[in-house]
Amino acid sequence: MSKVLVSDPIDQAGIDILSQVAQVDVKTNLSPEELVSIIPEYDAMMIRSGTRVTKEIIEVGKQLKIIGRAGVGVDNVDVPAATRQGIVVVNSPEGNTIAAAEHALAMMLSLSRHIPEANQSVKNSQWDRKRFIGAEVYKKTIGIVGLGKIGSHVATVVRSMGMKLLAYDPFISLERADQLGCRLVDMDLLLRESDYVTLHIPKTPETTHLINAEALATMKPTARIINCSRGGVIDEAALSEALKTGKIAGAALDVFESEPLGESPLRELGKEVILTPHLGASTAEAQVNVAIDVAEQIRDVLLGLPARSAVNIPGLSSNVLEQLKPYMRLAETLGNLVSQLAGGRIEQLNVRLQGELATNNSQPLVVASLKGLLSQALRERVNYVNASIEAKERGIRVIETRDASVQDYSGGSLLLSAKGSLGEHSVTGALLSDGEIHITSIDEFPINVPPSHHMLFTLHRDMPGIIGKIGSLLGSFNVNIASMQVGRKIVRGDAVMVLSIDDPLPEGILTEITKVPGIRDAYTVTL
Ligand SMILES: NC(=O)C1=CN([C@@H]2O[C@H](COP(=O)(O)OP(=O)(O)OC[C@H]3O[C@@H](n4cnc5c(N)ncnc54)[C@H](O)[C@@H]3O)[C@@H](O)[C@H]2O)C=CC1
Ligand SMILES: O=C(O)CCC(=O)C(=O)O
C-alpha cells in the first residue's frame, strides 16, 4: 500500500480521500532533519505553507511520486528539483480564492476603521471614540496589483462598494479589466492615484520588492497598502520606514518575507499597521475545498491517473488531457518504437501532427513522444514531468511540425522520426474507431498493425520465398509468430515485414535473419 505524509494541518475531508488508497501519516511540525530522515518511505506528500520541501528532501524522497500543496502558491516547494526527479507537483488553484479575497477586504476595512486597536481598547476597559476616527472607502480609488483569480474577486466586491478601480497586471487584457470595471494603468500611475493598494501577485523575480522605498515614496501620504499575496513583494524595512515617517498612512499584511514573522520593526508600529499570521486561506470552507481538491489529485496519481492541476507538467490542463489521453498513449508507443528502430544515441526527434491532430496543442504529444523515446534508456525514471528536461540534457533536438492536409485517419495521425548515431527511422500511427493504436507506416512503407509486446521488423527486397524463409528460421528457433504483415511501395522493390511474436527473440537469431538473401536489415522491438 502507498504511504502519504501529511506534514501540515489538513482538513479531515482530504485525509478521508487519501485513506481510500494509502496509509496516511499525519506528522506536523517536523524539523527539516526529521523530514529528511522519514521521507524515503513515502510515495506522496501533502502540505500547506508550513512545510518547506527543499531540494535535499526531494533528493532523498526516492519513492515520491507527487507533492500536493493544499493551496495556491508553490513557492515553498523546490519545483525544479521535483521536476528533475519526475515528481508531479499539484496545487489547488481555486479552492481558497474567495477566502483570500475576503481576507484582503477585511484587512482594508479593518485598517480604515482601526478595528483591531479599537477592539483592544474596549477590552482594556477604555471608551475612546476620538482616537479611532476612520476613513470611508466609498468613492475612494483602489489600485489592484495582479488581476488574477483573487484580484478579480476583490475587484467585483469593491466595485459594488462604490470604489473607483485601477489595476496593474501586464498579463491581463484590456477587455478583462474592462469587464471587471478596472482601468488598466501602469504601476507608477496606480501608486500615485490610489487611496488603497492591494497586492494579488505571485512572488517572482519581477515582483520581489516591487513595493520598495521608491514605490512607497510615490504613494499618497493618506494611502494604505494591503498584502495578502506573498511575503517579499514588499520590502518590509522600507515599508516600516515609510509608515514611521508618515510617507503612507497604513499597511495590512498577512504575509511576510520570512514566516513566522520574527523580530521586526513592523511589530513596533501602532494602529497604522495590522498584521495577521498568513490567514488568507484560513476559512473552514477554503480548507475543505483545498484538502479535497489536492487529496483527489494525490489519490489519482497514486492510482496511475493524471492530475488535473499539475504545475510542472506543461500544457496539461484537465480538458486538454482528457481529449488527448489516447493520443498521448499513441505518441508514447511510437516514441518507444522509433527509438528502438533508430538504436544508438538519438540526436533529433521530429514530431509531426497530421490531419485533425494538427489543430491540437502539440506540447502533451511531444512530451509523451519523448517519454516513449527515453523509456528504453531511463525505464520508469522518465515520466511526463521530466521527459523534456531529460531530452534536453541528452542534447536531443525536438522539432514539431503540423500538416492538417494529411487526411489518412479520422482523428488524425502522428508521425515521429528519430535521427541518431546509427541512422534515421520514422513511424506513423493512428487510433482506430475503437481507440486501438495502429502502426500505420514504418520508414514510409504503409502497414497497418497494432503494436504487440514483442515485434520483429525487417527491411528486405520484395521477392518470392523470403517470407517463408523467415518463417522457417523463426520456427527452427521455436519462435511462434502471432501475426505478420508486409508493406511495400512498389512490387518487387523494397518492402518491410512486421511480425508480432509471442516471445522475445532468442540470442543470435537476428544475425541469422540478416544473413537471409534479400534481407537488408532486421530489428527486434519490445513495447
Ligand atoms: N494569503 C494567503 O493565504 C493566500 C495567498 N495567495 C497568494 O495570492 C496570490 C494571487 O493568487 P491568485 O489570484 O490565485 O493567482 P492568479 O495566478 O490567479 O493571479 C495572479 C495574477 O498576478 C499577475 N502577475 C504576475 N506577475 C505580475 C507582475 N509582475 N505584475 C503584476 N501582475 C502580475 C498575473 O498575470 C495574474 O493575473 C498568489 O501569490 C498566491 O500564492 C493565495 C491564496 C491564499
Ligand atoms: O495554506 C495556507 O494557509 C496558505 C495559503 C496560501 O498562501 C496559498 O494558497 O498560496
Side-chain angles (χ1 to χ4, degrees):
M1 200 182 203
S2 299
K3 287 183 78 176
V4 181
L5 175 67
V6 175
S7 58
D8 287 317
I10 300 290
D11 193 89
Q12 186 60 34
I15 312 279
D16 291 345
I17 291 168
L18 295 172
S19 304
Q20 294 165 6
V21 296
Q23 176 190 319
V24 184
D25 295 342
V26 181
K27 295 182 182 177
T28 56
N29 294 319
L30 294 171
S31 67
E33 296 72 32
E34 285 170 319
L35 257 175
V36 165
S37 80
I38 64 167
I39 205 64
E41 62 192 87
Y42 288 98
D43 301 279
M45 274 183 98
M46 185 156 172
I47 57 165
R48 278 176 65 190
S49 55
T51 305
R52 289 207 75 74
V53 188
T54 58
K55 190 170 179 216
E56 196 189 358
I57 291 168
I58 288 167
E59 277 174 359
V60 294
K62 295 278 182 241
Q63 303 252 70
L64 283 176
K65 291 166 195 69
I66 176 164
I67 298 166
R69 159 69 163 108
V72 182
V74 288
D75 39 332
N76 52 330
V77 180
D78 189 331
V79 179
T83 304
R84 183 168 299 274
Q85 212 161 292
I87 301 168
V88 187
V89 180
V90 301
N91 69 352
S92 174
E94 289 173 14
N96 59 24
T97 299
I98 302 296
E102 289 185 358
H103 196 69
L105 294 162
M107 292 287 239
M108 177 178 75
L109 293 174
S110 297
L111 194 59
S112 296
R113 304 302 289 270
H114 314 296
I115 306 268
E117 285 270 318
N119 166 65
Q120 202 49 54
S121 75
V122 176
K123 287 190 172 161
N124 291 344
S125 308
Q126 294 163 8
W127 194 257
D128 186 350
R129 299 175 67 215
K130 282 199 290 299
R131 234 180 95 211
F132 299 118
I133 299 287
E136 288 175 16
V137 299
Y138 182 65
K139 288 202 169 162
K140 297 279 166 44
T141 299
I142 184 166
I144 303 172
V145 182
L147 208 49
K149 291 180 285 296
I150 298 170
S152 297
H153 189 69
V154 167
T156 308
V157 176
V158 295
R159 193 181 182 187
S160 69
M161 292 170 82
M163 296 187 83
K164 287 183 230 152
L165 280 64
L166 301 179
Y168 170 68
D169 188 327
F171 309 105
I172 283 291
S173 67
L174 269 174
E175 293 73 37
R176 174 69 183 147
D178 256 5
Q179 259 174 20
L180 291 164
C182 295
R183 183 154 68 96
L184 210 51
V185 294
D186 64 29
M187 191 62 188
D188 187 59
L189 195 138
L190 181 144
L191 291 172
R192 271 191 286 114
E193 292 199 356
S194 297
D195 300 298
Y196 295 85
V197 172
T198 183
L199 307 174
H200 300 289
I201 45 180
K203 186 174 175 219
T204 65
E206 292 74 38
T207 62
T208 300
H209 287 189
L210 182 71
I211 305 297
N212 54 17
E214 202 186 330
L216 289 160
T218 325
M219 292 172 69
K220 295 181 186 178
T222 50
R224 294 174 172 91
I225 189 160
I226 299 122
N227 186 15
C228 292
S229 64
R230 273 294 170 269
V233 302
I234 297 185
D235 176 345
E236 282 168 18
L239 176 66
S240 303
E241 193 54 32
L243 288 163
K244 243 189 261 168
T245 54
K247 286 216 170 70
I248 66 166
L253 309 179
D254 184 46
V255 286
F256 303 91
E257 289 183 316
S258 167
E259 292 181 15
L261 180 67
E263 282 294 300
S264 166
L266 290 166
R267 289 184 190 274
E268 316 302 319
L269 295 162
K271 67 179 190 310
E272 66 275 27
V273 172
I274 300 178
L275 310 175
T276 52
H278 203 145
L279 292 182
S282 294
T283 63
E285 295 85 347
Q287 285 315 306
V288 172
N289 291 344
V290 295
I292 292 177
D293 191 358
V294 170
E296 283 180 348
Q297 297 187 70
I298 294 178
R299 177 197 61 196
D300 289 354
V301 167
L302 292 178
L303 291 174
L305 300 167
R308 59 177 170 262
S309 304
V311 301
N312 60 346
I313 303 183
L316 294 190
S317 74
S318 51
N319 294 347
V320 172
L321 195 71
E322 269 317 302
Q323 188 198 349
L324 282 184
K325 229 183 317 181
Y327 286 95
M328 288 171 72
R329 245 183 341 106
L330 169 69
E332 203 173 319
T333 307
L334 295 181
N336 190 356
L337 172 57
V338 80
S339 78
Q340 293 183 63
L341 294 178
R345 185 170 36 80
I346 308 289
E347 287 151 8
Q348 183 173 304
L349 177 72
N350 287 59
V351 180
R352 185 147 64 131
L353 279 64
Q354 306 186 134
E356 250 180 70
L357 214 50
T359 58
N360 275 284
N361 175 357
S362 62
Q363 209 171 14
L365 298 178
V366 171
V367 169
S369 305
L370 287 171
K371 176 173 184 275
L373 189 86
L374 294 169
S375 61
Q376 288 301 314
L378 300 176
R379 304 287 154 183
E380 61 286 340
R381 269 223 311 109
V382 64
N383 59 24
Y384 292 135
V385 178
N386 62 6
S388 300
I389 290 190
E390 292 287 351
K392 200 167 170 196
E393 282 183 352
R394 283 167 173 69
I396 299 173
R397 206 144 58 90
V398 181
I399 298 173
E400 301 166 36
T401 51
R402 293 158 190 273
D403 188 351
S405 70
V406 178
Q407 293 298 332
D408 49 359
Y409 290 88
S410 105
S413 58
L414 188 68
L415 184 147
L416 300 191
S417 68
K419 201 191 276 178
S421 50
L422 304 177
E424 183 167 3
H425 287 275
S426 69
V427 296
T428 312
L431 295 179
L432 298 199
S433 53
D434 58 1
E436 202 187 343
I437 293 175
H438 268 227
I439 304 165
T440 56
S441 85
I442 298 281
D443 291 341
E444 295 178 17
F445 290 98
I447 52 163
N448 197 334
V449 289
S452 65
H453 192 31
H454 302 292
M455 301 185 88
L456 172 66
F457 294 82
T458 66
L459 175 64
H460 60 269
R461 269 199 74 69
D462 178 29
M463 58 190 213
I466 199 156
I467 293 169
K469 279 190 192 134
I470 299 294
S472 311
L473 191 58
L474 290 176
S476 69
F477 280 84
N478 198 26
V479 176
N480 199 35
I481 300 171
S483 73
M484 193 276 290
Q485 201 180 102
V486 174
R488 59 187 187 180
K489 291 177 205 159
I490 51 164
V491 176
R492 298 213 178 212
D494 280 338
V496 293
M497 180 167 27
V498 184
L499 295 115
S500 294
I501 48 184
D502 288 339
D503 305 292
L505 221 51
E507 192 88 357
I509 187 169
L510 210 58
T511 322
E512 292 301 312
I513 291 171
T514 51
K515 285 182 192 156
V516 172
I519 297 283
R520 297 194 196 290
D521 237 326
Y523 311 87
T524 175
V525 159
T526 303
L527 295 175

